[in-house]
């Protein structure tokens, strides 16, 4: 390298023969020395200090789980809440058997729980895991306090609060509200973008599942700095290491305001008494809003959300009463005589039989070489009488005039044979047979028409379906979409979304036909010969229809009484009240309960009586019901 | 000169010192960038940089082959094109981080404020070359006016860092190439005396934005605003210091991994390097830059024509100020301004500009022995 700093070339481009280069170096060299000096200071003199502060500090993120939204009834009474719960964790890096024994003694925990907790902890210790192990879930305030006090004796033990779901009424409305379960691996894979983490609880049934995202809320995060020893660095120092906010608060879940009325729900629950299996739906006639929806037996949502022992689960699964099947939505039944209104309307709309036409009931009738029976000898009956007294013979005759397809058309118009649109717990279609239905399966016989006319044979309906149909009879032909959620409200109380009542469609029946039909339904309860006359309520006009749905191949073997028996008939009552200005439609189904008039009707009456009594006293007190 | 003679010249006089130094710096830079882009969310930055590097090497060769004197008469055209591009940026530019620096057509874009540095150097070289040969006062005024315009256009983007770089390059060339330095020295003396007042009453009060003031205060007193503006600089200092003597090892920088050092591939690559390779690695880089600057100045001193000499001085100043400003900022002795580290920082505009500038130096170097 030939440096020319001292060479004197007259032809050089540099002024004064490159002397200025010294000037340049006089700036460049000190500048580089300055940089070198500073690097020496940082990396050599103070390097160890910086090294410790960088490698020993870990920025950690802690997720703050949002409080799940509440579920409240129409009047704002809490149906589902979240309460703080304390879980005890062990850090596998510090936890020891000695500490475990001390902890057990301190908390007075049963030995079986203690040993299973130690088994979990010892596995994590052996595997040298870092993630804390859950020792005990949901310990009491006192236990939590004693851990906090004895913290110095319990290295590696920590208590964290995690919100826990609380269903204060246990089994009440359990099918509607549902329950929660730990997230499955598959759900975790599908929803990982939405912030779900292993160990999270998600809605697994009922509204908890259907409205999971609304109820859940959004995670918050807290970022903090831990040094190599696992101790948390003071916040002021941590701020230097963390960019941006240390704390992002969680956004609590939203509150669901239901159309359900807690009082009515309780009244229904009580009125069902000892009957082990039943379904009840109470629907607001003018809106389709569900005021009560009971499927019995229920289950304790608190228990289902926690740890259920396999024996308890097996007992519930094996139960003949099928607690996990929603009897208002998932199962369907023969409607029996409650279905006769469809046949009536089919006749009135087609004008094939005048309502005053009289048929004489002689207990039985022979059609196509088969004998079809009535429940008793009614004598001469016109249309309204046939409804209120539930005369089968009248409908056998009528159905032959009208034909199965007209009956099926009216039934479909009323929403039978298709889901109600609630989109919860199954919401089955049910079944409405017509001529084509039987021709597909073989030959059509007139007997099918006769059975269909009285809600037997192959007709199957759901409890809520039937309630909405009776609401449509009462309100002049408007079939509503059922509604359970009225509003979504933020945790701070702002209404975020309001759900108005939605009409499914207007029925293709005239007001005159409905008037004639309602006359018959009114007679069921208010006419001396009506099937529910003996259960009428003083001061409240109820209209409706009883039903005793026969079980295929059943009845004969069934013992006397109304206790649940697989061979016994289903007892129905479907109706609305007050008859002169309908407000509520009600359907009561007592599974294998026997006679509708004797078993279901009194329960429906009791529900209505108690509800209106409560309403009156509440009104007298000046408050809302 | 035909192609044959150019190639012959190229073979005989190719400046291997310059080329190898450049190669060493850019390859180490690439290695470092691999680590620096490993933990950032964006993908494909490393591959992109390889493309830029290839294009840069090509530019270097092309500009080395072309006789630098070709640019003598074209320098003012380049400057006008550059100014038009800057005006274009002002009108249609992309805004990144609240500063409008980018001009793009489709996915192809660039920062004219980088490329214009070469045009400024070429134009100043021509100014020096032309002096005494009948240059009127009006000529001088237009030239100086154009340079001031460039400075202002960059400053209002706002890109104070680049504007100051342009200013420093101009001043450096004047100091090194002026015939009579006495007036310059007097001017400098006057500036030094008035600087405190100028600083306090003009720049501080009327020119600087709060963010820039914050960054300056952060250097003077690092604890004044630990969570906010000084945060970037502090993280960088932590990372560098923790590298100690020999570093944490390639791809082992904890601060880099945690993405604690901001903009680690564009403005702070040196912080990643110093964390992973320690004081020893830092020294290697400083030495390579020193050799590059020293050698460029050496070429300047050996060149017989004034245009070539000024060109080399300008490029030397260009590299020196960038290295000094960038590393000072990274090690926490200067405010955080967006100035790239030559041949190392991620980014096409900066990369190509440095390669073009060094290509010009190579062109001068090859031809310095031949008789003009």
């Amino acid at each position: 390298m030939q440096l020319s700093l001292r060479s004197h070339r007259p032809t050089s481009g540099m002024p004064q023969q490159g002397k200025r280069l010294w000037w340049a170096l006089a700036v460049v060299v000190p500048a580089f020395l300055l940089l070198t000096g500073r690097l020496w200071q940082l990396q050599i003199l103070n390097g160890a200090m910086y090294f410790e502060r960088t490698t020993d500090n870990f920025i950690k993120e802690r997720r703050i789980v949002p409080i799940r939204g509440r579920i409240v009834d129409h009047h704002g009474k809490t149906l589902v809440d979240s309460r703080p719960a304390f879980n005890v964790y062990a850090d596998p890096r510090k936890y020891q058997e000695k500490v475990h024994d001390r902890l057990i003694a301190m908390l007075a925990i049963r030995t079986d729980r203690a040993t299973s907790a130690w088994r979990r902890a010892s596995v994590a210790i052996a595997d040298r895991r870092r993630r804390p192990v859950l020792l005990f879930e949901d310990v009491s305030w006192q236990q939590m306090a004693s851990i906090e006090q004895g913290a110095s004796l319990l290295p590696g033990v920590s208590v964290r609060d995690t919100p826990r779901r609380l269903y204060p009424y246990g089994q009440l409305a359990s099918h509607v509200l549902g329950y929660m379960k730990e997230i499955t691996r598959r759900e975790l894979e599908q929803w990982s973008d939405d912030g779900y983490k292993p160990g999270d609880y998600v809605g697994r049934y009922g509204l908890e599942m259907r409205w999971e995202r609304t109820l859940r809320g959004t995670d918050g995060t807290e970022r903090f700095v831990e040094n190599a020893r696992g101790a948390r660095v003071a916040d002021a120092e941590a701020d230097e290491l963390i960019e941006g906010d240390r704390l992002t608060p969680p956004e609590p879940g939203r509150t669901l305001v239901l159309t359900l009325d807690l009082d009515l729900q309780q009244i229904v629950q009580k009125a069902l008494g000892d009957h082990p299996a039943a379904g009840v739906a109470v629907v607001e006639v003018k809106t389709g809003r569900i005021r009560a929806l009971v499927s019995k037996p229920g289950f304790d949502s608190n228990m289902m959300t926690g740890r259920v022992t396999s024996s308890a689960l097996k007992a519930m699964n094996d139960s003949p009463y099928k607690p996990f099947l929603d009897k208002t939505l998932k199962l369907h039944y023969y409607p029996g005589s409650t279905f006769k209104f469809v046949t009536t309307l089919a006749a009135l709309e087609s004008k094939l039989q005048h309502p005053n036409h009289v048929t004489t009931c002689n207990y039985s009738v022979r059609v196509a070489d088969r004998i079809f029976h009535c429940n008793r000898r009614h004598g001469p009956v016109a249309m309204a009488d046939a409804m209120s007294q539930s005369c089968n013979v009248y409908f056998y005759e009528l159905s032959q005039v009208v034909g199965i397809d007209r009956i099926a058309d009216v039934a479909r118009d009323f929403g039978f044979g298709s889901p109600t649109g609630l989109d919860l717990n199954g919401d089955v279609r049910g079944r409405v047979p017509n001529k084509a239905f039987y021709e597909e399966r073989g030959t059509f016989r007139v007997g099918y028409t006769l059975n269909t006319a009285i809600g037997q044979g192959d007709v199957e309906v759901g409890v809520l379906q039937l309630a909405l149909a009776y609401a449509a009879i009462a309100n002049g032909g408007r079939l509503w979409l059922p509604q359970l959620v009225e509003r979504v409200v933020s945790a701070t109380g702002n209404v975020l979304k309001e759900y108005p009542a939605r009409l499914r469609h207007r029925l293709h029946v005239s007001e005159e036909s409905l008037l004639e039909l309602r006359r018959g339904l009114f007679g069921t309860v208010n006419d001396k010969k009506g099937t529910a006359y003996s259960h009428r309520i003083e001061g409240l006009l109820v209209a409706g229809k009883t039903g005793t749905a026969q079980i295929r191949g059943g009845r004969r073997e069934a013992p006397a009484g109304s206790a649940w028996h697989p061979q016994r008939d289903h007892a129905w009552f479907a109706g609305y009240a007050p008859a002169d200005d309908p407000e509520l439609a009600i359907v009561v189904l007592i599974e294998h309960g026997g006679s509708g008039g004797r078993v279901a009707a009194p329960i429906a009456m009791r529900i209505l009586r108690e509800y209106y009594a409560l309403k009156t006293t509440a009104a007298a007190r000046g408050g809302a019901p | 000169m035909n192609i044959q003679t150019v190639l012959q010249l190229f073979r005989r006089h190719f400046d291997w010192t310059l080329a190898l130094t450049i190669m060493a710096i850019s390859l180490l830079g690439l290695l470092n960038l691999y680590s620096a882009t490993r933990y950032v969310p964006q993908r494909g930055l490393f591959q992109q940089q390889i493309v830029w590097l290839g294009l840069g090497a090509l530019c270097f060769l092309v500009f080395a082959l072309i006789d630098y004197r070709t640019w003598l008469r074209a320098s003012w055209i380049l400057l006008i094109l550059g100014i038009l591009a800057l005006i274009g940026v002002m009108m249609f530019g992309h805004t990144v981080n609240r500063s409008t620096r980018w001009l793009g057509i489709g996915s192809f874009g660039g920062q004219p404020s980088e490329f214009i540095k070469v045009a400024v150097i070429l134009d100043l070289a021509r100014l020096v070359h032309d002096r005494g040969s009948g240059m009127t006062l009006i000529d001088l005024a237009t030239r100086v006016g154009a340079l001031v315009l460039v400075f202002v256009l960059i400053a209002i983007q706002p890109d104070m860092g680049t504007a100051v770089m342009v200013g420093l390059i101009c001043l450096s060339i004047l100091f090194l190439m002026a015939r009579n330095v006495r007036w310059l020295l007097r001017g400098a003396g006057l500036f030094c005396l008035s600087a405190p007042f100028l600083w306090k009453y003009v720049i501080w009060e009327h020119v600087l934005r709060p963010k820039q003031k914050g960054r300056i205060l952060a250097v003077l007193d690092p604890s004044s605003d630990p969570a906010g503006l000084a945060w970037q600089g502090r993280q960088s200092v932590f990372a560098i210091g923790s590298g100690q003597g020999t570093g944490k090892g390639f791809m082992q920088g904890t601060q880099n991994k945690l993405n604690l050092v901001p903009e680690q591939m564009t403005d702070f690559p040196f912080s990643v390097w110093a964390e992973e390779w320690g004081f020893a690695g830092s020294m290697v880089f400083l030495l390579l830059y020193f050799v590059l600057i020293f050698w460029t100045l050496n070429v300047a001193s050996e060149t017989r024509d004034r245009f070539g000499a000024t060109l080399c001085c300008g490029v030397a100043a260009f590299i020196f100020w960038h290295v000094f400003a960038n590393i000072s900022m990274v090690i926490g002795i200067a405010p955080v301004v967006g100035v790239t580290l030559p041949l190392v920082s991620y980014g096409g505009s900066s990369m190509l500009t440095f390669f073009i500038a060094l290509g010009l130096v190579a062109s001068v170097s090859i031809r310095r022995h031949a008789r003009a």
Side-chain angles (χ1 to χ4, degrees):
Chain A
M1 194 160 81
Q2 203 180 37
L3 287 183
S4 59
L5 292 171
R6 265 161 278 122
S7 70
H8 294 264
R9 286 191 208 193
T11 49
S12 169
M14 292 289 287
Q16 292 171 27
Q17 291 79 39
K19 233 185 190 174
R20 297 273 177 89
L21 262 189
W22 286 111
W23 295 20
L25 288 181
V27 175
V28 172
V29 172
F32 273 73
L33 284 177
L34 175 69
L35 298 180
T36 307
R38 171 67 171 173
L39 284 165
W40 176 270
Q41 182 203 359
L42 289 180
Q43 300 189 292
I44 304 296
L45 296 182
N46 298 330
M49 182 269 285
Y50 284 118
F51 183 80
E52 191 185 322
R53 288 188 73 172
T54 55
T55 53
D56 287 6
N57 291 336
F58 298 97
I59 294 183
K60 296 206 165 168
E61 242 182 37
R62 190 171 77 87
R63 185 159 81 115
I64 309 175
V65 180
I67 291 185
R68 196 174 169 87
R70 293 189 307 143
I71 303 180
V72 303
D73 88 335
H74 175 66
H75 302 297
K77 291 179 188 158
T78 303
L79 297 173
V80 184
D81 207 346
S82 287
R83 67 178 169 84
F86 301 99
N87 295 346
V88 182
Y89 290 86
D91 182 343
R93 287 173 294 180
K94 291 174 215 154
Y95 202 59
Q96 295 164 3
E97 189 155 17
K98 193 174 64 194
V99 179
H100 186 73
D101 293 340
R102 208 176 288 152
L103 181 69
I104 301 306
M106 217 177 248
L107 302 186
I109 279 171
R110 283 209 324 267
T111 28
D112 56 332
R113 271 182 83 193
T115 41
S116 75
W118 172 246
R119 206 176 303 133
R120 264 174 282 146
S122 56
V123 167
I125 295 168
D127 292 357
R128 294 168 181 275
R129 282 187 217 152
R130 300 183 122 214
R131 184 185 267 262
V133 183
L134 177 63
L135 288 180
F136 305 111
E137 251 183 318
D138 198 13
V139 299
S140 68
W141 279 92
Q142 288 88 341
Q143 287 172 316
M144 197 252 328
S146 55
I147 292 176
E148 304 268 286
Q149 280 171 7
S152 60
L153 295 169
L154 300 168
V157 177
S158 58
V159 180
R160 279 192 230 158
D161 64 316
T162 358
R164 203 182 168 82
R165 211 57 169 156
L166 179 69
Y167 304 87
Y169 299 97
Q171 297 212 356
L172 191 81
S174 52
H175 289 88
V176 174
L177 302 174
Y179 55 85
M180 299 179 69
K181 276 276 169 242
E182 198 172 321
I183 193 165
T184 61
R185 193 167 295 175
R186 182 186 284 178
E187 285 166 334
L188 207 53
E189 278 164 18
Q190 284 172 352
W191 304 342
S192 59
D193 292 346
D194 303 315
Y196 285 94
K197 295 274 160 18
D200 278 4
Y201 273 67
V202 293
R204 186 50 53 77
Y205 193 84
L207 293 172
E208 290 275 34
M209 179 163 95
R210 181 75 175 67
W211 293 78
E212 165 68 23
R213 300 306 164 95
T214 309
L215 290 166
R216 182 169 183 265
T218 315
D219 282 354
T221 49
E222 185 196 13
R223 298 195 295 165
F224 59 95
V225 177
E226 249 181 28
N227 63 25
R229 288 172 297 282
R232 207 177 142 153
V233 169
D235 287 348
E237 199 182 325
D239 277 333
E240 293 180 6
L241 296 161
I242 298 170
E243 190 180 23
D245 292 330
R246 270 199 313 110
L247 191 74
T248 317
E251 194 186 303
R254 285 150 184 190
T255 302
L256 292 187
V257 180
L258 302 189
T259 59
L260 289 189
D261 183 327
L262 173 63
D263 295 328
L264 183 57
Q265 191 84 18
Q266 281 173 321
I267 288 169
V268 171
Q269 197 80 41
K270 209 165 74 199
L272 287 172
D274 295 336
H275 295 291
V280 176
V282 183
V283 172
E284 206 171 68
V285 165
K286 289 175 184 122
T287 55
R289 289 184 165 149
I290 298 169
R291 288 288 176 234
L293 198 63
V294 174
S295 174
K296 200 180 169 186
F299 43 79
D300 186 346
S301 298
N302 292 307
M303 185 191 86
M304 291 304 297
T305 300
R307 289 205 167 134
V308 190
T309 58
S310 54
S311 62
L313 203 62
K314 189 174 183 309
M316 287 174 88
N317 274 324
D318 292 348
S319 162
Y321 310 133
K322 298 189 174 61
F324 290 128
L325 295 179
D326 190 330
K327 292 182 178 57
T328 58
L329 286 159
K330 176 76 182 174
L331 293 178
H332 41 78
Y333 302 86
Y334 299 129
S337 303
T338 57
F339 193 71
K340 282 177 181 163
F341 80 90
V342 175
T343 315
T344 308
L345 279 177
L348 290 169
E349 283 299 300
S350 61
K351 301 201 189 326
L352 289 172
Q353 184 151 313
H354 194 273
N356 292 342
H357 174 92
V358 173
T359 303
T360 307
C361 168
N362 287 318
Y363 183 59
S364 66
V365 65
R366 175 184 284 271
V367 180
D369 290 336
R370 268 191 66 194
I371 293 175
F372 291 83
H373 288 281
C374 197
N375 36 39
R376 67 180 174 88
R377 188 185 301 270
H378 291 92
V381 283
M383 189 180 277
D385 302 327
M387 277 296 280
S388 58
Q389 297 168 31
S390 203
C391 173
N392 287 350
V393 169
Y394 179 90
F395 285 94
Y396 292 148
E397 301 277 345
L398 182 62
S399 67
Q400 292 175 68
V401 178
V402 176
I404 190 167
D405 282 349
R406 285 204 184 82
I407 297 172
D409 286 349
V410 173
R412 296 235 161 86
D413 197 21
F414 271 89
F416 298 115
S418 54
T420 61
L422 188 62
D423 193 14
L424 193 80
N425 299 352
D427 195 4
V428 293
R429 309 158 64 92
R431 189 163 57 206
V432 177
N434 57 9
K435 207 166 179 177
F437 172 86
Y438 289 108
E439 280 166 352
E440 248 173 59
R441 282 162 180 73
T443 47
F444 173 75
R445 280 177 290 167
V446 72
Y448 294 141
T449 310
L450 270 60
N451 280 331
T452 304
I454 61 162
Q456 296 286 158
D458 289 289
V459 188
E460 288 188 329
V461 307
V463 170
L464 184 63
Q465 247 178 6
L466 195 61
L468 291 163
Y470 272 76
I473 296 170
N475 68 28
R478 283 185 299 275
L479 186 67
W480 293 99
L481 280 167
Q483 189 187 352
L484 262 176
V485 177
E486 213 166 70
R487 283 193 295 279
V488 173
V489 180
S490 76
T492 47
N494 300 321
V495 176
L496 300 172
K497 197 155 165 59
E498 193 107 36
Y499 294 95
R502 276 159 63 215
L503 193 66
R504 196 165 157 193
H505 64 250
R506 277 199 83 97
L507 299 172
H508 302 96
V509 288
S510 65
E511 185 54 37
E512 294 84 66
S513 308
L514 287 173
L515 251 160
E516 186 60 36
L517 172 65
R518 287 200 289 257
R519 224 157 59 81
L521 296 175
F522 185 76
T524 304
V525 186
N526 302 291
D527 189 279
K528 273 201 178 71
K529 287 182 181 170
T531 52
Y533 178 72
S534 54
H535 306 296
R536 72 195 180 283
I537 313 166
E538 202 66 45
L540 179 68
L541 291 173
V542 181
K545 184 77 198 75
T546 58
T548 308
Q550 292 172 30
I551 307 307
R552 197 166 283 183
R555 197 171 217 190
R556 259 154 222 103
E557 298 86 4
S562 64
W564 191 94
H565 188 282
Q567 303 298 337
R568 205 189 303 281
D569 301 340
H570 295 312
W572 285 97
F573 180 86
Y576 51 86
D580 45 352
D581 179 19
E583 186 203 344
L584 297 178
I586 182 169
V587 169
V588 174
L589 162 75
I590 307 297
E591 201 180 280
H592 301 301
S595 155
R598 274 196 302 274
V599 178
I603 292 170
M605 296 303 162
R606 184 176 164 191
I607 292 167
L608 291 169
R609 191 181 67 228
E610 287 185 13
Y611 174 70
Y612 281 101
L614 190 73
K615 210 174 148 177
T616 322
T617 50
R621 278 206 310 269
Chain B
M1 262 196 273
N2 57 29
I3 303 280
Q4 210 85 59
T5 35
V6 170
L7 287 178
Q8 203 184 359
L9 190 69
F10 208 72
R11 264 202 302 279
R12 198 177 298 160
H13 295 297
F14 185 70
D15 191 340
W16 286 105
T17 313
L18 185 69
L20 287 175
T21 312
I22 292 168
M23 211 183 286
I25 293 174
S26 45
L27 289 182
L28 287 182
L30 195 64
L31 182 74
N32 185 49
L33 196 86
Y34 184 75
S35 176
T37 54
R38 198 89 189 105
Y39 306 103
V40 296
Q42 303 95 313
R43 288 275 150 258
L45 296 179
F46 179 71
Q47 288 83 341
Q48 184 68 54
Q49 183 78 346
I50 292 179
V51 173
W52 291 128
L53 209 62
L55 282 175
L58 197 69
C59 282
F60 177 81
L61 288 176
V62 168
F63 277 82
L65 276 171
I66 298 170
D67 191 335
Y68 63 97
R69 280 161 294 208
T70 316
W71 306 107
L72 179 65
R73 297 296 146 203
S75 67
W76 66 274
I77 299 175
L78 291 177
L79 192 67
I80 284 174
L81 284 176
I83 289 172
L84 287 177
L86 283 179
I87 292 170
V89 166
M90 199 167 70
M91 292 163 75
F92 321 106
H94 296 295
T95 306
V96 178
N97 292 340
R98 275 190 284 167
S99 176
T100 312
R101 301 178 188 176
W102 286 77
L103 194 61
I105 304 137
S107 60
F108 183 81
Q111 296 184 39
S113 55
E114 292 290 335
F115 291 110
I116 206 163
K117 288 168 191 165
V118 176
V120 166
I121 292 169
L122 281 171
D123 202 58
L124 271 170
R126 182 175 174 200
L127 191 72
V128 172
H129 180 269
D130 283 358
R131 76 169 168 213
S133 53
M135 197 169 69
T136 63
L137 209 59
I138 293 173
D139 284 341
L140 189 71
T142 5
R143 296 262 171 71
V144 172
L147 293 176
V148 171
L149 184 62
V150 168
F151 182 86
V152 170
L153 283 173
I154 296 174
I156 60 172
Q157 282 184 349
D159 186 356
M160 256 310 167
T162 306
V164 169
M165 284 300 111
V166 170
L168 284 173
I169 291 167
C170 293
L171 286 176
S172 307
I173 292 175
L174 288 179
F175 266 94
L176 287 175
M177 303 310 290
R179 200 166 11 183
N180 191 340
V181 199
R182 208 179 302 150
W183 288 103
L184 277 172
L185 286 178
R186 281 178 194 164
L190 198 67
F191 177 79
C192 288
L193 284 177
S194 63
F197 302 97
L198 209 64
W199 174 256
K200 186 159 196 308
Y201 295 108
V202 181
I203 296 178
W204 192 257
E205 298 286 326
H206 300 291
V207 178
L208 293 177
R209 286 146 193 272
K211 185 173 152 193
Q212 293 164 331
K213 286 188 194 179
R215 283 176 170 167
I216 292 166
L217 284 179
V219 169
L220 298 178
D221 178 13
S223 62
S224 64
D225 183 19
L229 299 161
W231 194 85
Q232 291 185 344
R234 265 186 88 78
Q235 291 311 314
S236 172
V237 165
F238 268 74
I240 292 171
S242 68
Q244 294 181 284
T246 51
K248 295 175 184 168
F250 181 53
M251 308 265 292
Q252 300 302 313
T254 51
Q255 308 306 93
N256 174 33
K257 272 189 197 172
L258 291 170
N259 249 321
L260 279 172
V261 178
E263 303 285 329
Q264 68 256 61
M265 64 276 181
T266 51
D267 289 351
F268 287 81
F270 188 78
S271 142
V272 177
W273 178 263
E275 186 189 2
E276 298 186 347
W277 300 95
F279 184 72
S282 311
M283 284 304 107
V284 169
F285 246 105
L286 283 188
L287 195 68
L288 284 171
Y289 279 123
F290 186 78
V291 169
L292 186 65
I293 293 161
F294 188 81
W295 188 254
T296 308
L297 286 170
N298 183 43
V299 171
S301 73
E302 288 186 346
T303 303
R304 284 156 214 185
D305 78 303
R306 228 179 272 153
F307 180 65
T310 317
L311 191 57
C312 292
C313 284
V315 175
F318 177 27
I319 292 167
F320 168 72
W321 287 117
H322 266 263
V323 170
F324 185 64
N326 181 275
I327 297 183
S328 303
M329 152 184 104
V330 167
I331 62 181
I333 55 175
V336 175
V337 288
V339 173
T340 54
L341 190 61
L343 306 174
V344 170
S345 283
Y346 171 80
S349 304
S350 160
M351 198 65 145
L352 292 184
T353 307
F354 281 112
F355 271 110
I356 289 170
L358 288 164
L360 289 170
V361 173
S363 177
V364 176
S365 174
I366 289 165
R367 291 166 181 84
R368 68 191 147 148
H369 306 291
R371 301 243 162 239

